[in-house]
Amino acid sequence: ESVLTQSPGTLSLSPGERATLSCRASQSVTSRYLAWYQRKPGQALRLLIYGASSRATGIPDRFIGSGSGTDFTLTISRLEPEDFAVYYCQQYGSSPLTFGGGTKVEI
Amino acid sequence: EVHLVESGGGLVQPGRSLRLSCAASGFTFDDYAMHWVRQAPGKGLEWVSGISRDSRTIAYSDSVKGRFTISRDNAKKSQYLQMDSLRVEDTAFYYCAGRRGGDNPFDYWGQGTLVTVSS
């Protein structure tokens, strides 16, 4: 099983700042099958990034995914007020599907 | 607009059963493999089970194998999770999620239903 470790657990930033979220896998992620999701209170998870760096439909270009192998990063170039949320990474290249523990981006 | 709406959660005693449902709308349900993912209080997301578009391929996590049964009804655009022999550690929010196939992420998620297993 591929264990995903996200860091930091909490990121305290201000609107306009850059956020850098890390996701490290215990084994290489097959074919860069790494996704990032956003969760806001009372809402369903939303797919942001798939294939490590491809933005999902309708996702603003301030969300940037990068990385390969075991190290992946989600960068939010300039935080908007609506970006304060919890972010999860997930690998879908091997069974079982696994998720990171999440990073909370707070003001 | 896409909607996945879970129902059937509640408080149940250890050893008892519960059946969750997930109703889909706003997308072509038949084109999507469906899954259940759960999150216990204060814990991370855990994949529970998945079923292929035609129900021919089914998988379970080791933690629920032999106790939970996933199914779907494409005519009703719904999937289900029959949970038997429930344990205290099964307490969690259960989320319905859909993806197009084995090499895809989860495109759609529901908001979840809470299952509490307690005596």
Side-chain angles (χ1 to χ4, degrees):
Chain A
E1 174 175 323
S2 181
V3 177
L4 301 184
T5 302
Q6 289 188 243
S7 61
T10 303
L11 205 49
S12 298
L13 295 167
S14 300
E17 290 191 298
R18 171 188 294 256
T20 302
L21 288 66
S22 172
C23 176
R24 179 162 291 177
S26 62
Q27 52 193 255
S28 185
V29 176
T30 305
S31 302
R32 301 176 80 228
Y33 287 151
L34 192 287
W36 290 92
Y37 301 89
Q38 178 193 64
R39 170 184 281 164
K40 295 181 184 179
Q43 296 186 19
L45 270 79
R46 179 170 73 148
L47 174 66
L48 300 175
I49 301 288
Y50 64 95
S53 60
S54 298
R55 274 184 292 275
T57 303
I59 301 304
D61 58 9
R62 65 180 180 272
F63 291 92
I64 302 163
S66 62
S68 63
T70 60
D71 290 295
F72 298 87
T73 300
L74 174 67
T75 301
I76 310 172
S77 57
R78 285 179 58 85
L79 282 164
E80 297 287 342
E82 62 267 28
D83 298 337
F84 291 91
V86 181
Y87 294 84
Y88 296 94
C89 61
Q90 179 220 0
Q91 68 79 22
Y92 52 97
S94 62
S95 295
L97 308 176
T98 51
F99 296 84
T103 291
K104 181 179 182 181
V105 178
E106 64 175 23
I107 297 177
Chain B
E1 188 179 357
V2 171
H3 287 288
L4 287 173
V5 180
E6 302 92 340
S7 60
L11 174 64
V12 62
Q13 293 178 326
R16 302 299 290 267
S17 299
L18 211 57
R19 187 189 194 218
L20 305 183
S21 299
C22 170
S25 62
F27 67 101
T28 306
F29 185 74
D30 301 26
D31 287 347
Y32 282 74
M34 297 302 296
H35 295 253
W36 291 94
V37 175
R38 69 184 180 184
Q39 186 168 31
K43 302 288 187 179
L45 293 162
E46 178 192 13
W47 173 80
V48 172
S49 180
I51 184 168
S52 63
R53 289 172 285 184
D54 58 6
S55 301
R56 293 176 69 176
T57 302
I58 286 174
Y60 300 97
S61 66
D62 288 344
S63 59
V64 308
K65 197 174 296 182
R67 301 187 298 121
F68 289 11
T69 303
I70 191 172
S71 61
R72 65 187 291 163
D73 185 334
N74 287 346
K76 295 183 177 180
K77 298 184 181 181
S78 295
Q79 72 153 343
Y80 309 96
L81 187 66
Q82 177 67 39
M83 304 186 294
D84 298 322
S85 303
L86 281 161
R87 304 169 180 167
V88 171
E89 54 265 34
D90 294 319
T91 295
F93 277 95
Y94 283 74
Y95 299 97
C96 172
R99 66 176 186 160
R100 279 165 288 170
D103 296 338
N104 289 282
F106 292 119
D107 291 300
Y108 307 128
W109 293 79
Q111 293 195 38
T113 186
L114 178 61
V115 173
T116 304
V117 185
S118 174
S119 54

